[in-house]
Amino acid sequence: MRLVWVLVFVFLNNGCFLDGVGTNISRRPDFVSIGSIVAFDSVIGKVAKVAIEAAVEDVNSNPVVIGGTKLQLTMLNANYSGFLAIVEALQFMETDTVAIIGPQSSVTAHVISHIANELQVPLLSFAATDPTLSSLQFPFFVRTTQDDSFQMAAIAEMIEYYEWREVIAIYVDDDHGRNGIAALADQLAMKHCEISYKAPLIPQPNRADITDALVKVALTESRVLVVHVYPAWGLDVLAVAHYLGMMGNGYVWIATDWLSTVLDTESPLPSGALENIQGLITLRMYTPDSELKRNFVSRWKTLMSNQTADGHFGLSTYGLYAYDTVWMLAHAIDAFFDKGGYISFSNDSRLSELAGRNLHLDAMSIFDGGKLLLDCILQVNLTGLTGPISFTTDKSLILPTYEVINVIGTGVRTIGYWSNYSRLSVVVPETLYQKPPNRSSSNQLHAVIWPGQTTEKPRGWVFPNNGKRLRIGVPNRVSYREFIANVPGTNMFKGYCIDVFTAALNLLPYAVPYTLIPFGDGINNPSGTELVRLMTTGVYDAAIGDIAIITNRTRMVDFTQPYIESGLVVVAPVRKLNSHAWAFLRPFTPKMWCVTGVFFLLVGAIVWVLEHRINDDFRGPPRKQVVTTLWFSFSALFFSHRENTVSTLGRLVVIIWLFVVLIINSSYTASLTSILTVQQLSSPIKGIESLITSNDPIGYQTGSFARNYLSDELGIHASRLVPLNSPEDYAKALEDGPKKGGVAAVVDERAYIELFLSSRCEFSIVGQEFTKSGWGFAFLRDSPLAVDMSTAILNCQRPGNSNGYTTSG
C-alpha cells in the first residue's frame, strides 16, 4: 500500500515531465511551425518558392512521414534585401518556429546564424554556399547544398588540366564572392597556380561599374577569367565583356554555377544574351537520374502554373535541393519526436534585460529542443531528388559532384564531371562510386568549343596591353664579346646570344614588346647570379645572354630550354712531343719493356723445361739449346716459330703466350701509329683532380659561377682562386705559371674555352668536362613566356629551319 502512495506522489510531482515527454511520444502535435526566407523574384528564389511549397504539400499529404503531424509553413520575401531578411528572421523568432529554411543569401546567413546560435533554431540553407559558413562558429547553420569550396576545387582541377598557371577572378565583393574566391585561391595554390588579378564588383553594380572593372582586366596578362557573381546580373558582366571584345579567340571564361542556374531557369535566353556566352564553361551541381526526379520534373509545369503568376520558368538544381531540404527537415522532426523531443520555448535571460524597449527583442525565446533537432538533422539518411542525402562529420553533404558544361549555340553540352572521389572524368559519377578510386582514368574532359568558335585550346595569356614593355637585363660583357656585346653609344646588343633570342622570338605567334637594358659597369664582366637576383626584386622582367643554368639560379627564376651546352672544363699549358729516331720505343714505358723482356725469357725457359727431354728440337749442346730457346720466344712474337711442341703442358703454355703476344702486338702497333701520325701534347695537369690535390693557383673568369663551384662544391680554398677578366689575362697567367705569379690552369665554361683555344694552340683542355649545364634565357617565376620560348628554341634547332642556329660554341 505504501508503494502505491509513493508512485502517486512521483506521478503528481513529475506530471509535467510525464505530460511533456511521455505524452509526446504517443501523441504528437497536430502542427509544427517552420519558416522560410527567400527572395521571391530572384532567379533562385522563385524556383525555390514553388519547390518548397510543393514539398510541404507532399509531406503533409503523407501521414507516415511525421506520424500525422503536419508542417505549417510561413514564407517571407527577402526581396533582395539583407536587412529585410534579418528583420524577417527576427519575426520568426517571436513565434514557435522550430526551424528556418533559408536564408538564400550567404551575407544574410552570416548575420542570422548568430541569432540562430543564441536561440537554438536550426537554419537549413539550400543556396548559401559561402564555405566559411561551415565553420564551428555557426553550429546551428546547416547547408543542404554543396558549398563553394567544392566547385572551386573543380575549377582549379580544370586550370591544371589545361595547363594554365594564372587566372583572373571577377567576383561580387561581399561574403559570398570574397570567401568563394579565397577558396579558389587555396585550391589553385595546391596546384601551383594562382590568381594574378582580382576584379571585385559591388553587390548591385551598374553597367559603368562593370565596364570600369573589365577595362582593367583587359589590360592584364592572363586570359583565363573566373566569374563568381549573382545570377541576377551575371549576364550583364558577360554582355559588357562581349561589347569590349573580350569574348573572342584567346579568352577563357569559366562561370561558377550561377550561369547554369540562369540557363536552367530562364531558357530560352534572348539571342543577344546567347551570343554573349558562346564558348563559356560553367558548372552545375550534378543530380543523378532517378524515377523520383523524373516524376518531379514532369510535375514542374503544373506546379509552376498553379502557384505563380510570373510566367513559365525552368527547374534549376537549387529547386531540387530546396525540395529535398523540406523532406530532410520532415524526417529530422520525425526522429526528434521518436527520441522523446517536445516543442517548448523558454525566455532568454539576456534578452529579458531589454524588456520594455521599442524593439521588443524580449519577445524572442529559445527553442529548448533545438540541439536535439539539430542532431536529428545531421543524422538524416535518405534518398531525395538530388540523390543520397546524408552529412559528413564537418556538416557537408556527401558525394559533392558537378557537371562541367560548355555553352554551344542555343544549348549546352556536358563535357565531363568532377567529384572529390574521382576528380575530372567523362564517366558518370555514380558508375565510378562503385569502383575503387582510380586517378589514372581521371582528369579527362571532352573537347571544348572555346570563345571565337575554335577547338584549339587557348594559350591562356597575352602580353598585357597596358603600354609596358618587357624589361630585359643583358650582361654588358668586356670579354668574349662574340657571344654578346653592347653596341657603343646605343642600347642595342649584338652577338650569338642575341641572334638566338631574336630567332626564337620571331617564331612566337604573338608580338613581344621589350627593351634591352645593359647590366654591368663595362669594366668587369657582370655576375650572372646577381642579374638573376635583380629579377626577383622587380628590376628586370627577364634576362638574356650567356647565363648558365645552375641550381641556385633555378630557385629564383624559370629558365628556357638550354640553347647551348656548356659545362666547366680545365685548360692548361701543354708542350709538344716531337718524333725522333727512338720514337719506336715510346709506345711502352721502360717498365713495360722490362716486363715484356722478362716474360720472353721466362716463357722460353718454361717451354725448354717441358720439351727438352722428349723433343729433339730442344736438345743438343748447351749453346744450341740456349739459342733455340731464345729464338723460339722471339719468333713467337711474329708467329714464325718453327719448333714444334710435343708435350701437352708445353702446347698449353705456347697457346697462352701467343694470345698475350697478340695483345702486345696490337697495343704496340696502335700506339706507334698514333705517335707517328698525331701531334702529341703533354701537360703536368691531368684534370680537375690534379688541381684539387695540388696547391697551385687556379684562374677563373670574373663574374662566373665557377668561383663558387670550386670553393663551395670542390672545397678549394678561396686564396688559390685568381679572377681573370679577358682571354689576354688567361694567356698571360697560364704562360707565367705559378712560379711567376700566374696560374697552373684556368677553369671556365666550355663555350668560352673553345673560343679562347681557337687562336691559341699552346694551351689545351685537359681531363673531362666535370659539370653539365647550359645557357638559357631567364624569366620570372611561372612566366608562360618561358615555356613558349623553350618551344621556339627547340623549333630553331630543327634542321632546315630558316631561323635555325647551331649549338656549338
Side-chain angles (χ1 to χ4, degrees), residues 607 611 615-618 632 641-647 651 654:
V607 172
E611 295 289 330
N615 191 340
D616 292 339
D617 290 340
F618 290 90
F632 176 82
H641 54 285
R642 293 177 296 175
E643 293 78 12
N644 295 322
T645 51
V646 177
S647 67
R651 290 177 176 176
V654 170

Side-chain angles (χ1 to χ4, degrees), residues 333-389:
I333 292 173
D334 182 58
F336 170 80
F337 288 133
D338 286 344
K339 293 181 179 181
Y342 63 98
I343 297 174
S344 65
F345 294 84
S346 58
N347 294 330
D348 189 332
S349 59
R350 285 179 289 188
L351 292 178
S352 299
E353 298 174 1
L354 303 177
R357 300 191 181 183
N358 293 334
L359 293 178
H360 302 291
L361 296 177
D362 56 311
M364 295 186 295
S365 55
I366 298 174
F367 177 30
D368 297 325
K371 290 184 178 180
L372 177 59
L373 179 58
L374 175 65
D375 291 339
C376 293
I377 292 172
L378 297 177
Q379 293 171 9
V380 163
N381 189 355
L382 58 93
T383 299
L385 302 182
T386 59
I389 301 174

Side-chain angles (χ1 to χ4, degrees), residues 680-703:
Q680 297 296 300
L681 302 176
S682 175
S683 172
I685 304 297
K686 303 302 180 185
I688 188 63
E689 295 80 8
S690 302
L691 293 177
I692 294 174
T693 56
S694 71
N695 292 316
D696 293 332
I698 305 169
Y700 68 92
Q701 183 182 170
T702 303

Side-chain angles (χ1 to χ4, degrees), residues 113 117 133 135-142 374 378 395:
S113 291
N117 290 349
L133 287 168
S135 66
L136 298 176
Q137 182 183 7
F138 306 113
F140 279 85
F141 176 84
V142 180
L374 175 65
L378 297 177
K395 298 198 304 181

